[in-house]
Amino acid sequence: MLRNLIKTFRKPTAVTLAYRELEEARRLLLEFQKQRDYYTKLSEFSEVRIAHLKKLLAQEKEHE
C-alpha cells in the first residue's frame, strides 16, 4: 500500500510526460479541426444567404 502511495506521488518520467503531451496535442488538434469544419460550414451558409439576398433585391429592383 505504501508503494502505491509513493508511486502515485513520484515524478513522472520524460517518456510519460511526452505521452501526455502527445495526447493533449491530439485532443487539441481534434477540437481545432471540429471548429474549422464548423466555421467552414457557417461561411458557406453565409455565402449562400448573401447570394440569395442579392438575387431577391435584384428582382425587387426589376419590379419597381
Side-chain angles (χ1 to χ4, degrees):
M1 182 157 165
L2 184 60
R3 286 183 188 173
N4 287 337
L5 189 61
I6 291 171
K7 192 175 181 180
T8 301
F9 291 103
R10 187 181 310 160
K11 279 188 174 181
T13 66
V15 172
T16 300
L17 290 174
Y19 274 116
R20 287 179 187 170
E21 189 172 339
L22 175 61
E23 284 304 310
E24 180 62 21
R26 286 178 174 167
R27 279 192 287 277
L28 285 172
L29 177 60
L30 186 60
E31 180 62 30
F32 294 145
Q33 287 172 336
K34 182 175 75 172
Q35 289 178 14
R36 179 197 59 207
D37 294 346
Y38 170 78
Y39 285 111
T40 297
K41 291 296 182 187
L42 193 58
S43 296
E44 290 170 3
F45 171 78
S46 293
E47 289 169 355
V48 169
R49 185 170 170 233
I50 288 168
H52 174 73
L53 291 170
K54 283 181 177 180
K55 184 178 175 183
L56 186 68
L57 290 172
Q59 290 173 352
E60 276 296 313
K61 197 169 189 176
E62 288 175 5
H63 289 80
E64 286 180 357

